[in-house]
PDB file of all heavy atoms in Angstrom:
ATOM      1  N   LYS A 242      25.905-113.573-134.360  1.00  0.00           N
ATOM      2  CA  LYS A 242      24.873-113.521-133.309  1.00  0.00           C
ATOM      3  C   LYS A 242      25.298-114.338-132.092  1.00  0.00           C
ATOM      4  O   LYS A 242      25.016-113.966-130.956  1.00  0.00           O
ATOM      5  CB  LYS A 242      23.542-114.041-133.845  1.00  0.00           C
ATOM      6  CG  LYS A 242      22.865-113.093-134.832  1.00  0.00           C
ATOM      7  CD  LYS A 242      21.508-113.634-135.247  1.00  0.00           C
ATOM      8  CE  LYS A 242      20.823-112.672-136.215  1.00  0.00           C
ATOM      9  NZ  LYS A 242      19.500-113.191-136.656  1.00  0.00           N
ATOM     10  N   ALA A 243      25.984-115.456-132.348  1.00  0.00           N
ATOM     11  CA  ALA A 243      26.442-116.294-131.231  1.00  0.00           C
ATOM     12  C   ALA A 243      27.440-115.536-130.373  1.00  0.00           C
ATOM     13  O   ALA A 243      27.391-115.594-129.140  1.00  0.00           O
ATOM     14  CB  ALA A 243      27.057-117.588-131.769  1.00  0.00           C
ATOM     15  N   LEU A 244      28.377-114.817-131.016  1.00  0.00           N
ATOM     16  CA  LEU A 244      29.331-114.023-130.241  1.00  0.00           C
ATOM     17  C   LEU A 244      28.614-112.931-129.469  1.00  0.00           C
ATOM     18  O   LEU A 244      28.937-112.665-128.307  1.00  0.00           O
ATOM     19  CB  LEU A 244      30.386-113.409-131.163  1.00  0.00           C
ATOM     20  CG  LEU A 244      31.429-112.522-130.468  1.00  0.00           C
ATOM     21  CD1 LEU A 244      32.183-113.297-129.388  1.00  0.00           C
ATOM     22  CD2 LEU A 244      32.410-111.940-131.482  1.00  0.00           C
ATOM     23  N   GLY A 245      27.620-112.313-130.080  1.00  0.00           N
ATOM     24  CA  GLY A 245      26.843-111.287-129.382  1.00  0.00           C
ATOM     25  C   GLY A 245      26.183-111.831-128.132  1.00  0.00           C
ATOM     26  O   GLY A 245      26.196-111.197-127.072  1.00  0.00           O
ATOM     27  N   ARG A 246      25.625-113.051-128.227  1.00  0.00           N
ATOM     28  CA  ARG A 246      24.986-113.668-127.053  1.00  0.00           C
ATOM     29  C   ARG A 246      26.013-114.000-125.983  1.00  0.00           C
ATOM     30  O   ARG A 246      25.756-113.817-124.780  1.00  0.00           O
ATOM     31  CB  ARG A 246      24.237-114.929-127.478  1.00  0.00           C
ATOM     32  CG  ARG A 246      22.990-114.667-128.293  1.00  0.00           C
ATOM     33  CD  ARG A 246      22.112-115.911-128.381  1.00  0.00           C
ATOM     34  NE  ARG A 246      22.797-116.996-129.067  1.00  0.00           N
ATOM     35  CZ  ARG A 246      22.739-117.203-130.376  1.00  0.00           C
ATOM     36  NH1 ARG A 246      22.018-116.395-131.144  1.00  0.00           N
ATOM     37  NH2 ARG A 246      23.368-118.221-130.932  1.00  0.00           N
ATOM     38  N   ILE A 247      27.186-114.487-126.401  1.00  0.00           N
ATOM     39  CA  ILE A 247      28.247-114.805-125.438  1.00  0.00           C
ATOM     40  C   ILE A 247      28.659-113.545-124.672  1.00  0.00           C
ATOM     41  O   ILE A 247      28.828-113.563-123.455  1.00  0.00           O
ATOM     42  CB  ILE A 247      29.454-115.427-126.165  1.00  0.00           C
ATOM     43  CG1 ILE A 247      29.097-116.824-126.672  1.00  0.00           C
ATOM     44  CG2 ILE A 247      30.671-115.505-125.232  1.00  0.00           C
ATOM     45  CD1 ILE A 247      30.143-117.432-127.586  1.00  0.00           C
ATOM     46  N   LEU A 248      28.811-112.447-125.386  1.00  0.00           N
ATOM     47  CA  LEU A 248      29.238-111.207-124.740  1.00  0.00           C
ATOM     48  C   LEU A 248      28.184-110.697-123.763  1.00  0.00           C
ATOM     49  O   LEU A 248      28.509-110.208-122.678  1.00  0.00           O
ATOM     50  CB  LEU A 248      29.533-110.141-125.798  1.00  0.00           C
ATOM     51  CG  LEU A 248      30.739-110.417-126.702  1.00  0.00           C
ATOM     52  CD1 LEU A 248      30.867-109.314-127.739  1.00  0.00           C
ATOM     53  CD2 LEU A 248      32.020-110.529-125.900  1.00  0.00           C
ATOM     54  N   LYS A 249      26.934-110.804-124.140  1.00  0.00           N
ATOM     55  CA  LYS A 249      25.863-110.283-123.276  1.00  0.00           C
ATOM     56  C   LYS A 249      25.635-111.160-122.047  1.00  0.00           C
ATOM     57  O   LYS A 249      25.237-110.670-120.989  1.00  0.00           O
ATOM     58  CB  LYS A 249      24.573-110.149-124.086  1.00  0.00           C
ATOM     59  CG  LYS A 249      24.644-109.069-125.160  1.00  0.00           C
ATOM     60  CD  LYS A 249      23.345-108.968-125.925  1.00  0.00           C
ATOM     61  CE  LYS A 249      23.467-107.975-127.077  1.00  0.00           C
ATOM     62  NZ  LYS A 249      23.848-106.632-126.625  1.00  0.00           N
ATOM     63  N   ASN A 250      25.910-112.456-122.169  1.00  0.00           N
ATOM     64  CA  ASN A 250      25.576-113.397-121.100  1.00  0.00           C
ATOM     65  C   ASN A 250      26.762-113.788-120.216  1.00  0.00           C
ATOM     66  O   ASN A 250      26.591-114.557-119.268  1.00  0.00           O
ATOM     67  CB  ASN A 250      24.963-114.669-121.688  1.00  0.00           C
ATOM     68  CG  ASN A 250      23.655-114.404-122.410  1.00  0.00           C
ATOM     69  OD1 ASN A 250      22.905-113.496-122.025  1.00  0.00           O
ATOM     70  ND2 ASN A 250      23.380-115.163-123.449  1.00  0.00           N
ATOM     71  N   ASN A 251      27.954-113.265-120.510  1.00  0.00           N
ATOM     72  CA  ASN A 251      29.132-113.635-119.747  1.00  0.00           C
ATOM     73  C   ASN A 251      29.936-112.393-119.359  1.00  0.00           C
ATOM     74  O   ASN A 251      30.000-111.420-120.104  1.00  0.00           O
ATOM     75  CB  ASN A 251      30.028-114.579-120.558  1.00  0.00           C
ATOM     76  CG  ASN A 251      29.378-115.927-120.802  1.00  0.00           C
ATOM     77  OD1 ASN A 251      29.472-116.835-119.990  1.00  0.00           O
ATOM     78  ND2 ASN A 251      28.703-116.056-121.940  1.00  0.00           N
ATOM     79  N   ASP A 252      30.533-112.471-118.202  1.00  0.00           N
ATOM     80  CA  ASP A 252      31.326-111.352-117.694  1.00  0.00           C
ATOM     81  C   ASP A 252      32.790-111.541-118.094  1.00  0.00           C
ATOM     82  O   ASP A 252      33.648-111.829-117.270  1.00  0.00           O
ATOM     83  CB  ASP A 252      31.196-111.261-116.173  1.00  0.00           C
ATOM     84  CG  ASP A 252      31.868-110.012-115.624  1.00  0.00           C
ATOM     85  OD1 ASP A 252      32.047-109.043-116.396  1.00  0.00           O
ATOM     86  OD2 ASP A 252      32.220-110.004-114.428  1.00  0.00           O
ATOM     87  N   LEU A 253      33.073-111.404-119.387  1.00  0.00           N
ATOM     88  CA  LEU A 253      34.440-111.552-119.877  1.00  0.00           C
ATOM     89  C   LEU A 253      35.251-110.302-119.561  1.00  0.00           C
ATOM     90  O   LEU A 253      34.728-109.192-119.553  1.00  0.00           O
ATOM     91  CB  LEU A 253      34.449-111.787-121.388  1.00  0.00           C
ATOM     92  CG  LEU A 253      33.675-113.009-121.895  1.00  0.00           C
ATOM     93  CD1 LEU A 253      33.734-113.059-123.416  1.00  0.00           C
ATOM     94  CD2 LEU A 253      34.243-114.281-121.301  1.00  0.00           C
ATOM     95  N   LYS A 285      34.217-105.910-122.963  1.00  0.00           N
ATOM     96  CA  LYS A 285      34.498-107.253-122.461  1.00  0.00           C
ATOM     97  C   LYS A 285      35.573-107.944-123.279  1.00  0.00           C
ATOM     98  O   LYS A 285      36.258-108.832-122.789  1.00  0.00           O
ATOM     99  CB  LYS A 285      33.215-108.086-122.456  1.00  0.00           C
ATOM    100  CG  LYS A 285      32.144-107.600-121.490  1.00  0.00           C
ATOM    101  CD  LYS A 285      30.898-108.456-121.597  1.00  0.00           C
ATOM    102  CE  LYS A 285      29.801-107.959-120.651  1.00  0.00           C
ATOM    103  NZ  LYS A 285      28.582-108.793-120.761  1.00  0.00           N
TER     104      LYS A 285
END
Side-chain angles (χ1 to χ4, degrees):
K242 288 184 179 179
L244 179 58
R246 289 194 297 270
I247 290 171
L248 293 177
K249 292 180 185 302
N250 297 328
N251 293 274
D252 187 22
L253 302 178
K285 294 178 181 180

